[in-house]
Structures are given as C-alpha cells and as structure tokens.
Amino acid sequence: MSSADTVPVGGADVGRRVTIRDIADATGVAPSTVSRALSLPDRVNHVTQQRIQQAARELGYVANSQARALTSGRTRAVAVLVSDITNPFYFDVIRGTQHQLSAAGWTQLLVDTEESADAELAALSAIATKADGAVLTASRLSDAQIARFAERTPLVVVNRRPAGVPSVLIDTPGGVEQAVQHLVSLGHRDVLYVAGPDSSWSNERRWRALVRVAKRLGVRVARVGPHAPFVDSGAAAADAAVNAGATACIAFNDLIAIGMLSRLRERGVRVPEDMSVVGCDDIFGADFCNPPLTTMTSPIERAGRVAIRMLLGRLGAAPSSSGDDLPDGQTAGAVALPTHLTVRESTGPAPSSPHRPS
Amino acid sequence: MSSADTVPVGGADVGRRVTIRDIADATGVAPSTVSRALSLPDRVNHVTQQRIQQAARELGYVANSQARALTSGRTRAVAVLVSDITNPFYFDVIRGTQHQLSAAGWTQLLVDTEESADAELAALSAIATKADGAVLTASRLSDAQIARFAERTPLVVVNRRPAGVPSVLIDTPGGVEQAVQHLVSLGHRDVLYVAGPDSSWSNERRWRALVRVAKRLGVRVARVGPHAPFVDSGAAAADAAVNAGATACIAFNDLIAIGMLSRLRERGVRVPEDMSVVGCDDIFGADFCNPPLTTMTSPIERAGRVAIRMLLGRLGAAPSSSGDDLPDGQTAGAVALPTHLTVRESTGPAPSSPHRPS
DNA sequence: TTGAAAGCGCTAACAG
DNA sequence: CTGTTAGCGCTTTCAA
C-alpha cells in the first residue's frame, strides 16, 4: 500500500501535479494550513506563511481551479455571450471584457449563441457552474427570461434594459439626434432609416429616436428593411434606398452602411453627392472604407469594460483600478455611455433634386 | 440532522441546485447509477435509464462541470491563446475555434497574452486544470518551451513549427510566390518588403520566401521595418517605402498595408499608378478599403477550425462531422493550408520611372 | 494559530 | 446491471 507501489516504473513521479498535500508534507504542516496560507494569508502565522509560500514556489504549485470552485462555489470566471461572433461589433466588446477581466486575474468564457434563444438558454444554465456571472450582449431572450436568470446568476446586460438587471446602454438615440441635426444642417429634409433585424432591441430604439427627432426638426422619415447586420446585406439595402428616392440614409449599423457604399458605387450613385450615408457604431473599417463613413461612434470597448466592472463589483471582486469608466462604482441600474457623431466623407449637402432610380 | 433542518426558513429549497443525488432519491436508485445513466447510457438498463433521464429533465438537472472535471480529469474546455486580441487576424481564428468547439459541445477559454511571453507561460500553467488542451496562435515562446509544455498539456500551434508539436501552418510563403509573380507580370522588377515585428515567426518566413522567389525570378528585393502590426504603423511604413523609391511593396500584413494606403493617398502617391501594394491575410476590411487591397487570402478561420479538430482528435473527442477540413483525420505533424492571391485594385503596372520622394 | 474531519458533486473501481 | 465505497483537491467548520 505504500505510495511507491503506484509510482510509474520510471521511478520519478512525473505525471502528478503538485497539490497542497505535497506542500504540507514538505513543510510539516497540515493541508488546511497550506490552504489558508495561500488563500487567507493573514489568518496564518507570518513565519509559517512565508515558509509555505516558499515551498509552493519551489514545488511549482498551481492551484486546481476546479477543486477550488467545487468547495468555494466561486470560479473566478465570467461568461460573455455574443449573438454572432462574426460581427465586428462584438470584437470590440470582447476586447473590453477580456481586458478588464485579465486585469483582475479572471478568466473569460466566450460563448457564441448564434442568434438562437435556445442556445442562449442552454449556455446560461450550463454556465451556472462554469462561471460566477455572465455578460449578455444583444440577448435574444425576453426581458422576463433575462430577469429570471438574473435571480440565480449575476448578470449584466449590454444594450437591453430588463427591470432589475444592471445594464450598460450605448446611447445611440443620442447619436441619432446628432446625425439628423448634421443632415439637416447640410440641407436634407428627408431621411431614410435602413433598419436592422427586427429581433434587435437597439434597432427599434434607434428608429423611435429617429421618429422623435425628425418630428421635432420637421424632417420626413421613411424606413426600409429589415436587413441582416452583414456587409453583404448592404447591397439590397442600397437598392431599396435608391428605389425609395432617398438622398440621406441612416443605417442600423456600419456593416450595412459599408455594404451600401460598395453597392452604390457599383450603381454609379455618388456618395455623398447623390446620397449621404450615416452608419452606426464606428467599427473597425469605418474610417478606411470608401468613402470613409460618417457614423455614430460608440464606446463599444468601453461598454465591455464597464459591464465587467459592474459584474465584478456585484461579485464582490473589486476591479484593480477604479479608473473613471464607472461613475462612483455603480453596480446596479443602467449606465448610459454617450455616443458622438464622427463626420467623414460619406455625408454631404443635399442634392438640389433627389436622385432618381436608374 | 435531517436535511430539512438546513432548509431556509422560506420552506422551499430554492437556492440549491439539483444534483445526481436528488435524482437518485427521486428514482430510487444509487447516485452512481444516475451518473452512469447520464454519462454512459449503454451501461445501464434501458428502462431505468429512461426513467432517470426523465427525472433529470423534470428536475432541471444540469451537471456540475467542476465536479465532473475534478474526478474525470477532463474539463471539455480548451484555451485559445492569442497574442493581441486587438488584431483582426485573430478574430477570424477565434471564429474558427469557437465554431468548431461549440459544434462539439466544448467550451472556449479565450486568453490574450498581450505579446508577453511571461503572460503566456502563466496562462499555460494556469490552464492545466481549466482546460484539456490549448491552441497557441503566434506564440512568443521558444520552440523548446512550447515543446516542453506540450509534454504535459495537449497543444496545437498555429503558424509555428516546434518539433513534435502538431501545428497548423498557413502557407503564406506560397502566397508570396504568387504575389511576386503577379507583380512581375505587371512589369515590376523591384519589390520592397515591409516587415512586421521581429518577434514574429511568420515575418521571417515570408521574408525568406520572398528572397528565394525573387532570386529565381530575377527580381531585386529590399526590406524596410520592422513595423508593428497595426493600421497606424502603416503611415511610417508608407513613408519608408516612398523614401526607398519603391514601386511595389509586399506588406507583412493587411493592417500595415491598409495603413499605407491611407498615408499614400495623403501624400498624393497614387495606388497603384505610382505604387503597387500587396497585403497579407485578407482580413475583414481588405475588400472595402480604398483602393481595395490585393492580398494573399489566408484561410484563417479554417486554420482555427483545423487546429481544434486536431486538438480534439488528440484528446479522443472525435469532432462531430469529419468534414473535409482535415485530410484523413490527421492529428499530428504539420498541416499546411494553402493561400491564394486575391487581386484587387491596389496593384497595377509598374510606372515607367519609379516614383521619387516628394 | 493550527489540525482534524467533513464534505463540495461527481466518477470509477470493485463487488455482488 | 446496479449498489457500495473511495476518493479528485480544495475549503471550511470545529476543536484544541
């Protein structure tokens, strides 16, 4: 029964990882003392504490996070759910979450729900033991569903506002107002909204903001769509816009706007001479497409960072630096992040007479 | 000691998650039988198996992955390390890995090593208990270090070739050959290589390929750099290229190339009339920048998928579909993925006399 | 301040 | 085919 019996023929105990028990044996204390010395250093005599940490270092000890999670219930990991990992918008979000998490020494589980509410539900329940909380970006669940999950798993949502669940909002309605004012100042009196997917909360929000602002400024609005949020959808969107005789468009997002730009060029519609195009988000590429896209610059990465900070705050893991991202350590309610219009070459004065279908 | 004593005052046992023990109690079998029925269904009487699964469903059972990992030693998670999550190149890799992993029901841990070998080492040892294996993209470690880790943790590397470690190579050298031939066919006789970071394995590989091909085709080559792989680095790169009197450039990657395009326009250097520019990778944006970029299209996402398939293969978790990505289920050695040149508007005939510094 | 002991939820021999 | 029995590595009472 001696442990030597179970040692591989090679002799050296190569395969096994170092455990707190090994450290205990090496230092002559009990495993529980090692555990304390490593996780709650103040609860242990300073000298033995040093001795233990020393031994841990020498033996190359690395805590088994599974075991730790099993007893403590905390994983030090958070799940970030995105609806389509293909969408550059999420790259910026992920950047932000990843950055803030790694700064705190936490792990990020990235989950692509592929636009499916079922996949999202499944992920959310699987997560319960894998992560201490989750960030939902562009959830396809109902507010009620989100709220119900939030009772069991700490959640922060981005661009959604279910009652009682902390959320990070990107203030695109504010951006829409700036965009319309910009177009008005260029002489436009008609604005076409190129809608995104019906399932998108932001889409409705932007449209309503547009209607509101337009009324106030005496601008006529129309709407085409829905269009899927891909560059490729931009072609159909551009055709629809031309067909509607539009001279100024605000697109649901930059992907669609960039796709429109290409299609309009193909069709010989000049931007901005014949048609102004405004995008939304200012994703990677918006500044170097042709022509460079006027768009509502969203602090996307910051939204990711703020979401993690709120989440870690709720989890009692105060993020390292308090920075200035999150006003007074807010961890509940909704945080709205301002958007601003970045004017580039895709907008210009309204043509004297609207462009006619070719 | 009855469990009722520990139930919250509310009465209902709201907070606790369902465990196999609950299912065992509900169905009158032993916990181990429940475990079997759920993980190895064939090892259990079909009727009781059904009964157990039924009960599991009704009670809303979700396995605790931590506990499972602790006993089985398998986490059903893999870590994907990227050196800079900011780089769009990795977005495509992550897309591929994420897709292949979720298809297999596995979890992806995303780790950004931020170009630091230390961070990479730390992540790699932390991973040991968090994941069953890892994919290293653009590792900053030495071949020896990688090989040593590979002895303990199943690893697949992308764009590296340490002996004995399975790797996925994107055949950019092949792409370089096509690029040079294309430039030659346009009349160019001088090609400038705009180098990426010295720490990049691919960078040296591309340069050597260029030298080799150039010699064979009687083309003169020169080199400027190193340049960091960011769009912003393109400005300095463009200035260096103009200063060198170049009429044709091959850039380390599309980020630099796209940045060059902007700067060249600013400086009044026409592309491709005055200077041809070829990028590498064909990242998001290469097709809609101005002018659209001729580039070596790399199957980046596929590289991610293949890496995961090799890894899962080694881990004994055969990926769902055998597809055609991975020739005959190869899980060792190196897989080279072909690259092809995608010609867009950033390349054209050599000017009769080289552009001179302005 | 430290040690002993009891699990966390699950899997994996080993009997029966 | 199924139940019993040990743990996986760690945390956490409870005593000493």
Side-chain angles (χ1 to χ4, degrees):
Chain A
M1 275 297 178
S2 91
S3 77
D5 291 345
T6 64
V7 164
V9 184
D13 201 358
V14 276
R16 259 183 70 270
R17 285 178 56 105
V18 178
T19 71
I20 54 170
R21 202 196 168 85
D22 298 322
I23 302 178
D25 292 349
T27 52
V29 298
S32 51
T33 305
V34 176
S35 171
R36 271 183 226 113
L38 265 22
S39 357
L40 311 139
D42 335 311
R43 286 238 212 298
V44 169
N45 175 293
H46 186 252
V47 182
T48 49
Q49 196 255 94
Q50 293 291 317
R51 202 153 45 92
I52 289 169
Q53 295 212 326
Q54 167 77 6
R57 231 172 294 121
E58 284 171 1
L59 296 174
Y61 171 77
V62 184
N64 181 321
S65 49
Q66 315 292 340
R68 184 170 278 176
L70 190 55
T71 37
S72 66
R74 275 162 294 105
T75 58
R76 292 180 65 84
V78 339
V80 175
L81 309 210
V82 301
S83 61
D84 174 18
I85 203 171
T86 264
N87 184 334
F89 176 85
Y90 296 112
F91 296 158
D92 289 314
V93 178
I94 293 169
R95 237 181 243 186
T97 52
Q98 162 72 44
H99 195 262
Q100 198 70 25
L101 281 169
S102 69
W106 284 50
T107 300
Q108 159 159 292
L109 307 183
L110 182 59
V111 181
D112 182 359
T113 59
E114 305 191 353
E115 307 278 1
S116 143
D118 286 343
E120 201 175 335
L121 285 168
L124 233 26
S125 51
I127 277 162
T129 73
K130 287 184 164 50
D132 296 343
V135 173
L136 267 48
T137 62
S139 176
R140 292 288 176 257
L141 303 181
S142 69
D143 280 5
Q145 282 176 307
I146 295 177
R148 201 148 48 73
F149 265 104
E151 288 168 11
R152 301 188 142 270
T153 311
L155 247 43
V156 171
V157 297
V158 176
N159 276 353
R160 271 298 281 278
R161 206 169 171 174
V165 181
S167 62
V168 179
L169 268 20
I170 296 180
D171 181 30
T172 45
V176 168
E177 167 147 13
Q178 295 177 55
V180 176
Q181 276 174 336
H182 169 64
L183 291 172
V184 165
S185 73
L186 292 172
H188 292 278
R189 284 289 169 270
D190 289 87
V191 174
L192 179 72
Y193 182 64
V194 179
D198 288 334
S199 58
S200 162
W201 188 79
S202 303
N203 184 52
E204 276 320 303
R205 205 154 157 257
R206 284 171 205 163
W207 166 244
R208 282 202 305 270
L210 176 56
V211 170
R212 200 183 324 121
V213 173
K215 179 173 290 180
R216 214 181 61 230
L217 301 180
V219 168
R220 278 181 302 273
V221 291
R223 170 174 176 154
V224 293
H227 298 283
F230 309 132
V231 170
D232 288 349
S233 310
D239 289 351
V242 169
N243 193 52
T247 59
C249 305
I250 295 181
F252 166 66
N253 72 6
D254 287 350
L255 291 171
I256 295 175
I258 289 172
M260 290 179 70
L261 257 25
S262 302
R263 177 63 167 186
L264 292 172
R265 181 141 17 81
E266 267 178 41
R267 295 193 50 166
V269 178
R270 294 165 306 160
V271 176
E273 292 81 357
D274 300 326
M275 191 185 293
S276 286
V277 177
V278 178
C280 183
D281 291 340
D282 201 5
I283 60 171
F284 176 81
D287 57 336
F288 61 70
C289 57
N290 185 18
L293 185 67
T294 293
T295 186
M296 304 165 225
T297 300
S298 302
I300 313 178
E301 177 176 350
R302 192 170 157 219
R305 291 205 308 272
V306 170
I308 293 298
R309 300 191 49 174
M310 290 176 82
L311 191 55
L312 293 189
R314 309 211 112 203
L315 293 170
S320 43
S321 92
S322 60
D324 59 347
D325 274 341
L326 228 194
D328 61 68
Q330 181 173 3
T331 61
V335 175
L337 266 25
T339 282
H340 68 271
L341 189 72
T342 299
V343 176
R344 299 202 183 96
E345 286 92 273
S346 72
T347 47
S352 40
S353 79
H355 177 80
R356 287 276 137 242
S358 48
Chain B
M1 273 297 176
S2 90
S3 77
D5 292 344
T6 65
V7 164
V9 182
D13 201 359
V14 277
R16 259 183 70 269
R17 282 178 57 105
V18 179
T19 72
I20 54 170
R21 203 197 167 86
D22 298 322
I23 302 178
D25 292 348
T27 52
V29 298
S32 53
T33 304
V34 176
S35 172
R36 271 183 227 113
L38 265 23
S39 355
L40 312 139
D42 336 310
R43 286 237 215 299
V44 169
N45 175 292
H46 186 253
V47 182
T48 48
Q49 197 256 93
Q50 292 292 316
R51 202 152 46 92
I52 290 169
Q53 295 212 326
Q54 168 76 5
R57 232 172 293 120
E58 284 171 0
L59 295 173
Y61 170 77
V62 184
N64 181 321
S65 50
Q66 315 292 339
R68 185 171 278 176
L70 190 54
T71 36
S72 66
R74 275 163 293 105
T75 58
R76 294 179 65 85
V78 339
V80 174
L81 309 209
V82 301
S83 61
D84 174 18
I85 204 172
T86 264
N87 184 334
F89 176 85
Y90 296 112
F91 296 159
D92 289 314
V93 178
I94 292 169
R95 238 182 242 185
T97 52
Q98 163 72 46
H99 194 261
Q100 199 70 25
L101 281 170
S102 68
W106 283 50
T107 300
Q108 159 159 294
L109 307 182
L110 183 58
V111 181
D112 182 359
T113 60
E114 304 191 356
E115 307 277 2
S116 146
D118 286 344
E120 201 175 334
L121 285 168
L124 234 25
S125 50
I127 277 162
T129 74
K130 285 187 168 46
D132 296 344
V135 173
L136 267 49
T137 63
S139 175
R140 291 289 176 257
L141 303 181
S142 70
D143 281 4
Q145 283 175 306
I146 295 176
R148 201 148 48 72
F149 265 103
E151 288 168 13
R152 301 187 143 270
T153 310
L155 247 45
V156 171
V157 296
V158 175
N159 275 353
R160 271 298 280 276
R161 210 177 162 169
V165 182
S167 62
V168 178
L169 267 21
I170 295 180
D171 180 30
T172 44
V176 168
E177 167 147 14
Q178 295 175 55
V180 176
Q181 277 175 335
H182 169 64
L183 292 171
V184 165
S185 73
L186 293 171
H188 291 278
R189 285 289 170 270
D190 289 87
V191 173
L192 180 72
Y193 182 64
V194 179
D198 287 334
S199 58
S200 162
W201 188 80
S202 303
N203 184 53
E204 276 320 303
R205 204 154 157 257
R206 284 171 204 164
W207 168 243
R208 283 202 305 272
L210 176 56
V211 170
R212 200 183 323 121
V213 172
K215 178 173 289 178
R216 217 181 59 231
L217 300 180
V219 168
R220 279 181 300 274
V221 292
R223 169 174 175 153
V224 293
H227 298 282
F230 310 132
V231 170
D232 288 349
S233 309
D239 289 351
V242 169
N243 193 51
T247 60
C249 304
I250 296 181
F252 167 65
N253 72 8
D254 287 349
L255 290 171
I256 296 175
I258 288 171
M260 290 179 70
L261 259 23
S262 302
R263 178 62 166 186
L264 292 172
R265 182 142 16 84
E266 267 179 41
R267 296 194 49 167
V269 179
R270 294 166 307 160
V271 175
E273 292 80 358
D274 300 326
M275 191 185 292
S276 286
V277 176
V278 178
C280 185
D281 292 340
D282 201 5
I283 60 172
F284 175 82
D287 57 335
F288 61 70
C289 57
N290 184 19
L293 185 65
T294 293
T295 186
M296 303 166 225
T297 301
S298 301
I300 313 177
E301 178 176 350
R302 192 170 156 218
R305 290 204 310 270
V306 169
I308 293 300
R309 301 192 48 172
M310 291 176 81
L311 191 55
L312 294 190
R314 309 210 111 202
L315 293 171
S320 44
S321 91
S322 60
D324 59 348
D325 274 341
L326 228 194
D328 61 68
Q330 181 173 1
T331 61
V335 175
L337 267 24
T339 281
H340 68 271
L341 189 72
T342 299
V343 176
R344 299 200 185 96
E345 285 92 272
S346 73
T347 48
S352 38
S353 78
H355 177 81
R356 288 277 136 240
S358 47

